[in-house]
């Protein structure tokens, strides 16, 4: 019998809807109440509540505390896998942080719900059941942190929330899920080709995120630089281009030793140094801006926060983002 640790951190999966007002808020009802009966005789479950927070309240220091807690619990007892319940708004960021931080081959699965436990069509219990089944699956070994929602298995690196309220919100644009779940089976149809992890001890660097837009100048970049940040992520236009009016502010930022990492505001494709005009990707790379491969702006921010705890060397940072 597999032994699975379930760690609860809060979110809609542990909330209830007020039937009079329609407001969804925290609840004393435990989201695991019904799952033990469903899995009786097949999986031994131990559950803990670490936080009771809506996911917009989750900070990087909470993510680090969660990661350390997983390590501590797995050192105390020989669990076969871990499931973490989490609110959906920042679920992808926590999952990606854990993917970068955790030092384990065993399955770690993050799940949540789009509808509270007493809403019509609630998806929390089913997602939790699916997550436990994936965490109990031998094929889930060595795949990094996984996100299981709506019968699909996604990697923490590629998954993102695509809809504000649809239960099928979690998707991996361009890549797709690496597996699916049914009522009786777990199927993986893709393999991980690469996985990285960084054993950091703290996460205290300040990294800001800016989205580019038509007509953008350098004022916002200047304001961020003057706020004493340790790093900057920019969601650039297209393949990795910016309006020319931002160039002077970017030069000052780089000259002050603040690493700037570029991703695209497009949800598919990667940034490339294709265009040579002022503000084009070629000029940005020549300036010393780091091009990130295959991550969104929020995830690039998480990665830079982790990376800066390891090094501030531009060459090493560029290698970590390649």
């Amino acid at each position: 019998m597999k032994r699975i640790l379930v760690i609860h951190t809060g979110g809609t999966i542990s909330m209830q809807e007020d039937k009079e007002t329609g407001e969804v808020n925290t609840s004393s009802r435990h989201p695991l109440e019904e799952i033990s009966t469903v899995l009786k005789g097949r999986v031994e479950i131990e559950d803990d509540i670490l936080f009771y927070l809506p996911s917009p309240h989750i900070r990087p220091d909470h993510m680090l505390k969660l990661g350390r807690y997983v390590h501590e619990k797995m050192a105390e007892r020989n669990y076969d896998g871990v499931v973490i319940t989490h609110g959906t708004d920042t679920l992808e960021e926590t999952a990606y942080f854990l993917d970068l931080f955790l030092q384990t081959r065993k399955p770690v699965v993050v799940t949540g719900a789009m509808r509270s436990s007493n809403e019509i069509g609630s998806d929390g219990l089913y997602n939790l059941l699916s997550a436990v089944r994936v965490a109990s699956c031998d094929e889930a070994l060595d795949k990094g942190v996984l996100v299981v929602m709506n019968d699909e298995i996604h990697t923490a690196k590629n998954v993102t929330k695509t809809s504000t309220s649809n239960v099928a919100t979690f998707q991996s644009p361009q890549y797709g899920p690496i597996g699916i779940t049914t009522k009786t089976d777990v199927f993986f149809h893709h393999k991980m080709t690469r996985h990285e992890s960084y054993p950091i001890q703290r996460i205290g660097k300040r990294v800001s995120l800016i989205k580019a837009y038509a007509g953008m100048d350098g004022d916002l970049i200047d304001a961020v630089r003057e706020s004493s940040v340790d790093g900057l992520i920019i969601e650039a236009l297209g393949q990795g281009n910016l309006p020319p009016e931002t160039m002077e502010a970017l030069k000052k930022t780089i000259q002050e030793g603040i690493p700037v990492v570029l991703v695209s505001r497009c949800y598919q494709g990667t940034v490339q140094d294709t265009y040579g005009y002022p503000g084009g990707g070629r000029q940005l790379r020549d300036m010393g801006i780091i091009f990130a491969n295959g991550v969104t702006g929020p995830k690039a921010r998480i990665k830079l926060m982790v990376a800066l705890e390891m090094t501030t060397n531009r060459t090493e940072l560029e290698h970590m983002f390649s």
Side-chain angles (χ1 to χ4, degrees), residues 246-303:
T246 63
M247 292 301 98
E248 191 59 36
L250 286 169
K251 287 177 183 176
K252 291 178 183 177
T253 303
I254 292 168
Q255 286 170 357
E256 291 187 15
I258 300 171
V260 179
V261 175
L262 202 74
V263 300
S264 176
R265 70 179 195 180
C266 301
Y267 67 88
Q268 294 195 55
T270 60
V271 285
Q272 304 174 66
D273 57 352
T274 301
Y275 293 98
Y277 52 69
R282 183 64 56 87
Q283 185 181 33
L284 296 175
R285 189 185 283 279
D286 290 345
M287 285 171 56
I289 290 177
I290 297 166
F291 281 40
N293 184 15
V295 289
T296 62
K299 288 182 183 176
R301 175 179 173 268
I302 292 293
K303 187 166 187 178

Side-chain angles (χ1 to χ4, degrees), residues 8 32 35 43-44 66 85 89 93 98 111 121 138-139 143 149 262 274 282 285 303 320 322:
H8 302 286
L32 196 67
I35 199 171
V43 179
E44 178 187 343
L66 175 57
T85 66
D89 285 353
E93 289 162 85
L98 294 173
T111 192
D138 291 337
E139 286 186 80
K143 287 185 169 59
M149 299 275 289
L262 202 74
T274 301
R282 183 64 56 87
R285 189 185 283 279
K303 187 166 187 178
M320 292 169 76
S322 63

Side-chain angles (χ1 to χ4, degrees), residues 210 212-226 232 234 242-253:
I210 295 174
Y213 52 86
M216 182 181 184
D217 59 24
D219 289 352
L220 189 55
I221 297 170
D222 286 333
V224 170
R225 184 184 71 252
E226 291 165 7
L232 174 61
I234 299 180
L242 292 170
E245 292 80 10
T246 63
M247 292 301 98
E248 191 59 36
L250 286 169
K251 287 177 183 176
K252 291 178 183 177
T253 303

